[in-house]
Amino acid sequence: MASADWSSLPAELINCIADCFLATSDLDYYMDFRAVCQSWRSATNDPKSSPDPRFRPRHWVIIDRSFGGDKTYLWVNTTTGRFVPKELPLLRNYWGSSTTPDGLLILMDNKLPYAVTLLNAFTGYRIRFAAPLPDQITESAALVSGSPPTLVLLCNKMDIDDDLVLLKIDRKVYTAYPESESFTMHEERHACPLIRLALRGIYTDGELGSVAPFPVDMAEKIFAVMMIYNAEPDESSDDENISMSDEKAAFNFLIGYDNRCYLVRSAGEILIIFKLKGGMEIYKMDTESYVLERVKNIGNRAIFLSVNCKCISVNADKFPSVDANCIYYIVKSLDYSGDYICMYNLRFRRGEKISRDMGRGSRPYTIIQHLSSYDLQ
């Protein structure tokens, strides 16, 4: 019997198989699939030259930047639980390698004028921005789809006062198009703090939510809830200097001002999470009617909160050691004995310490340690 000629499969069937890989953001499988033969490449779209958002690594996050050697990163798909190491020698020509919420690497040229390039590590697709980065530290960034696409940066400057205390000052949001000569500072009063939270928070399952300004009335609703919980007051104001004295910090702690607010897209929903001294509170945002609804159960999802307002949501069914309907977070030690990873169970509404963080442990790290500390890598 003659062997099957796989190269002669109908184009419709080839695209059906390819779409299955894109549905779970398994871009490495998609690239391998196209590499089989010329007819399969001809029947499918080439992601190296396409801005199609389907080709962005939406569900992928980097959990280890020193895996197996220089410029080899360990990625995990937060939907399927699959791990992929990728060697990226191209990064030797750039400085920095932070990521956007939908998995694109943000690279800066290592020579003047320090222009920015966004790289899809799975497909090789690049977007080059002519504008040099602002003379500030880039905390987070996101790419907003459009024609042309918009790069949004959350930046701040660091300074030291007379008492040698490190200060964060002049936190701003900047935007630019690929052909822009420079970044433009975003100044809309109501939207700017919300964009800050979104850029730092919507790191989720990799799906990028809207980082364009929410309507003013929606922003005011979110800020009103933040005020109720005394959550992250410096993020809801436009004060240039967000540092405070030790006395004020102690007072704010007593009245709950150490509470934190996170925005996270989880399984297609935008959640607003308040990490409080006495537990957690979660609200769901209806993106059509812009109504906030209290949430007591997140199903099979588990959410990891960082100390820097970044967070990710994973399908707990795909990670054997991760518990569903739980929120993981790091508790800083006041006596320098080591930080702990804690888990808050939404069903029983209680938290518990489960392990030390990566700072005190040794390899191999657990998946919970990686996911809890991924933005610190």
Side-chain angles (χ1 to χ4, degrees):
M1 184 174 66
S3 60
D5 184 6
W6 295 104
S7 64
S8 62
L9 289 176
E12 295 81 4
L13 179 58
I14 293 173
N15 272 291
C16 182
I17 298 172
D19 287 343
C20 291
F21 297 142
L22 294 179
T24 53
S25 194
D26 285 316
L27 296 174
D28 54 330
Y29 287 168
Y30 181 87
M31 298 297 288
D32 292 344
F33 180 76
R34 295 189 75 248
V36 170
C37 61
Q38 177 62 41
S39 63
W40 290 16
R41 286 191 293 276
S42 300
T44 53
N45 293 326
D46 183 1
K48 290 184 179 180
S49 57
S50 174
D52 190 334
R54 295 185 308 155
F55 297 132
R56 295 185 190 176
R58 293 173 290 112
H59 304 296
W60 294 91
V61 294
I62 300 172
I63 61 172
D64 195 337
R65 296 177 183 268
S66 57
F67 181 83
D70 186 35
K71 306 306 179 185
T72 299
Y73 290 178
L74 181 62
W75 300 69
V76 63
N77 187 314
T78 57
T79 297
T80 65
R82 194 163 62 86
F83 295 82
V84 173
K86 289 195 71 66
E87 185 177 2
L88 301 170
L90 174 68
L91 300 189
R92 297 188 179 97
N93 300 322
Y94 296 93
W95 286 335
S97 57
S98 56
T99 59
T100 66
D102 50 353
L104 300 178
L105 290 171
I106 306 166
L107 309 174
M108 182 177 69
D109 287 351
N110 57 10
K111 56 185 177 181
L112 290 172
Y114 306 127
V116 180
T117 297
L118 297 187
L119 171 68
N120 187 324
F122 287 82
T123 67
Y125 177 70
R126 303 186 206 182
I127 304 176
R128 185 170 178 82
F129 288 78
L133 282 175
D135 185 22
Q136 297 184 359
I137 297 174
T138 301
E139 290 188 4
S140 302
L143 183 69
V144 180
S145 297
S147 183
T150 304
L151 179 60
V152 186
L153 303 178
L154 170 63
C155 302
N156 70 64
K157 279 190 175 181
M158 307 297 290
D159 200 1
I160 299 178
D161 65 9
D162 295 337
D163 297 324
L164 300 181
V165 175
L166 191 64
L167 307 176
K168 283 185 179 181
I169 62 174
D170 197 29
R171 178 178 284 150
K172 302 294 181 183
V173 173
Y174 294 89
T175 61
Y177 301 118
E179 302 303 324
S180 301
E181 295 183 358
S182 61
F183 279 86
T184 301
M185 187 173 68
H186 190 93
E187 297 182 357
E188 207 288 309
R189 179 178 177 272
H190 291 277
C192 200
L194 197 58
I195 292 176
R196 294 171 187 161
L197 279 175
L199 283 174
R200 298 169 72 183
I202 299 185
Y203 261 64
T204 76
D205 49 12
E207 282 192 73
L208 174 61
S210 173
V211 295
F214 289 117
V216 170
D217 59 345
M218 188 64 227
E220 289 178 342
K221 289 180 182 179
I222 295 177
F223 296 153
V225 179
M226 292 172 67
M227 295 276 291
I228 293 174
Y229 293 113
N230 288 327
E232 195 71 14
D234 51 88
E235 286 297 338
S236 57
S237 69
D238 285 324
D239 296 337
E240 290 190 357
N241 192 326
I242 66 169
S243 63
M244 61 182 70
S245 65
D246 291 342
E247 293 79 7
K248 184 178 180 181
F251 175 75
N252 286 345
F253 176 81
L254 291 175
I255 65 173
Y257 269 13
D258 65 324
N259 297 339
R260 307 298 295 275
C261 177
Y262 298 80
L263 266 67
V264 53
R265 180 178 289 270
S266 178
E269 297 179 331
I270 294 181
L271 304 180
I272 304 166
I273 301 175
F274 294 95
K275 176 177 172 291
L276 311 174
K277 290 174 63 178
M280 301 276 181
E281 295 293 342
I282 303 179
Y283 290 79
K284 177 175 66 175
M285 183 172 68
D286 188 324
T287 55
E288 294 184 359
S289 61
Y290 292 101
V291 173
L292 297 181
E293 176 185 347
R294 202 164 186 173
V295 174
K296 296 183 178 180
N297 189 309
I298 57 174
N300 69 342
R301 310 300 294 187
I303 296 175
F304 291 79
L305 309 179
S306 80
V307 295
N308 296 319
C309 283
K310 291 182 180 179
C311 40
I312 54 175
S313 169
V314 304
N315 183 349
D317 295 340
K318 302 298 182 178
F319 296 90
S321 61
V322 176
D323 289 342
N325 199 31
C326 291
I327 298 178
Y328 294 81
Y329 57 97
I330 293 178
V331 173
K332 293 292 183 181
S333 171
L334 298 179
D335 59 3
Y336 303 100
S337 61
D339 301 335
Y340 284 89
I341 298 172
C342 295
M343 180 186 74
Y344 186 84
N345 188 301
L346 291 170
R347 177 185 177 186
F348 299 109
R349 300 191 67 79
R350 66 168 180 259
E352 60 178 316
K353 293 180 180 178
I354 58 173
S355 73
R356 290 185 179 272
D357 76 341
M358 290 171 59
R360 290 284 177 171
S362 58
R363 292 178 181 272
Y365 299 126
T366 67
I367 184 58
I368 290 178
Q369 288 175 317
H370 274 303
L371 292 174
S372 298
S373 307
Y374 82 101
D375 70 308
L376 305 177
Q377 300 281 336

